[in-house]
Amino acid sequence: MKRILAVVEYDGTAYQGWQKQINGQTIQNQIEKVLSKILNCPIAIYGSGRTDAGVHALGQTFHFDVEKKIEDLKLFKHSINCLLQKDIRIKSLKYVNHNFHARLNAKSKTYMYLFSLNELSAFNYPFIYDVHGELNFELFKQCLNLFVGRHNFINYTSKEEDELGYVRTIHNISIKHTKNIYRIDFQGDGFMRYMIRFIVGTCLACGLGKTSFEDIKRSLIDFSMKFAPIKAPAKGLFLVKVKY
């Protein structure tokens, strides 16, 4: 038995997220179906983590096992991409140790979120959040900086329970813009369901005058307060890289 690590990119617009569902179109469903057809046996894939419905990826990873070594992985990758939907593309394949696990061995992940303060074209609308209003950009950046470091993010996820006690470390948050597009990069040891979207949406709300800086600051230390984060749309979020 041989284990293969794959890197995949996808436009998540048409999918109900990464994770396999019985009656839903997901990225995992599509890839497993193609691999099983090519290898003529049931193939299960194991991702580095889930992405939600509408979220995209430039560097999602997953592993799977094959009974015999495939000599030409480049040709095998080409065969997979020929059968996949055109909004899913395998970027690379390589052999890894049989003990390797795409999720358990991940050391950090990098996500980016894109937004604009201007009207979008038809070509970039599916991938960028179009924010309406006058944004206090300096206040927005100050809000983002609150989330750097090790925090309990229970107020910034929809998870009902968490084996790590909702504690995660965000190593770095950076923001830059070119022309009318703003890009926020998040690098951390792990991110929970909706976590980045809640952070972005809430910080934007503060920058737009819809919530206060002090309430956001308190939400990271006071878990008894009734704090309702604001969730940014899925379309602006991309999983960029998984580091091992």
Side-chain angles (χ1 to χ4, degrees):
M1 193 72 71
K2 299 294 182 181
R3 181 157 294 182
I4 296 174
L5 171 65
V7 179
V8 60
E9 63 181 9
Y10 49 83
D11 171 357
T13 304
Y15 298 93
Q16 299 302 306
W18 167 268
Q19 189 177 23
K20 182 165 54 178
Q21 298 179 20
I22 296 176
N23 296 315
Q25 179 164 263
T26 70
I27 306 297
Q28 185 179 9
N29 282 128
Q30 295 298 313
I31 296 173
E32 287 187 348
K33 181 172 67 176
V34 169
L35 287 174
S36 299
K37 182 175 183 178
I38 292 175
L39 296 170
N40 199 31
C41 65
I43 297 292
I45 67 173
Y46 302 88
S48 71
R50 307 172 185 176
T51 52
D52 299 320
V55 174
H56 318 293
L58 300 176
Q60 169 70 293
T61 59
F62 65 90
H63 78 261
F64 63 100
D65 294 330
V66 293
E67 290 188 4
K68 297 180 180 180
K69 185 175 182 179
I70 299 168
E71 295 298 334
D72 192 339
L73 285 181
K74 184 176 180 180
L75 179 60
F76 183 51
K77 177 173 75 74
H78 177 72
S79 299
I80 298 170
N81 284 334
C82 285
L83 294 179
L84 280 171
Q85 298 291 328
K86 300 309 178 187
D87 47 11
I88 306 174
R89 276 290 168 271
I90 304 297
K91 297 176 69 175
S92 67
L93 298 170
K94 70 175 183 179
Y95 288 106
V96 290
N97 186 282
H98 70 281
N99 291 321
F100 175 88
H101 195 286
R103 179 177 65 85
L104 299 179
N105 290 117
K107 293 182 179 179
S108 68
K109 292 182 180 179
T110 300
Y111 283 84
M112 74 173 179
Y113 196 93
L114 303 178
F115 72 91
S116 175
L117 301 176
N118 297 282
E119 288 189 1
L120 301 173
S121 76
F123 297 101
N124 59 21
Y125 182 82
F127 308 107
I128 302 171
Y129 175 29
D130 47 328
V131 177
H132 301 284
E134 293 294 326
L135 180 68
N136 182 331
F137 187 64
E138 290 304 315
L139 180 58
F140 171 64
K141 288 196 297 181
Q142 290 174 28
C143 290
L144 286 175
N145 287 334
L146 292 173
F147 295 90
V148 177
R150 189 168 179 82
H151 300 284
N152 185 318
F153 290 97
I154 191 171
N155 283 327
Y156 292 88
T157 180
S158 66
K159 292 184 70 176
E160 295 183 358
E161 58 182 0
D162 182 69
E163 64 277 8
L164 299 176
Y166 302 97
V167 175
R168 299 292 189 277
T169 301
I170 298 181
H171 302 300
N172 186 59
I173 300 177
S174 62
I175 183 167
K176 57 186 177 181
H177 65 276
T178 56
K179 295 184 179 180
N180 299 322
I181 308 301
Y182 292 79
R183 170 176 172 164
I184 315 168
D185 286 288
F186 295 82
Q187 195 266 326
D189 61 5
F191 298 91
M192 294 176 288
R193 182 173 174 84
Y194 298 149
M195 181 173 154
I196 291 177
R197 292 170 60 191
F198 276 137
I199 292 173
V200 172
T202 302
C203 291
L204 282 171
C206 184
L208 293 168
K210 298 178 181 179
T211 191
S212 77
F213 180 86
E214 289 303 320
D215 278 349
I216 295 175
K217 191 174 182 179
R218 282 183 55 210
S219 71
L220 289 169
I221 56 175
D222 183 356
F223 311 119
S224 63
M225 69 182 293
K226 294 182 179 180
F227 183 80
I230 298 169
K231 185 167 60 177
K235 68 176 185 174
L237 184 59
F238 295 73
L239 172 55
V240 175
K241 183 179 182 180
V242 182
K243 184 178 179 181
Y244 293 101

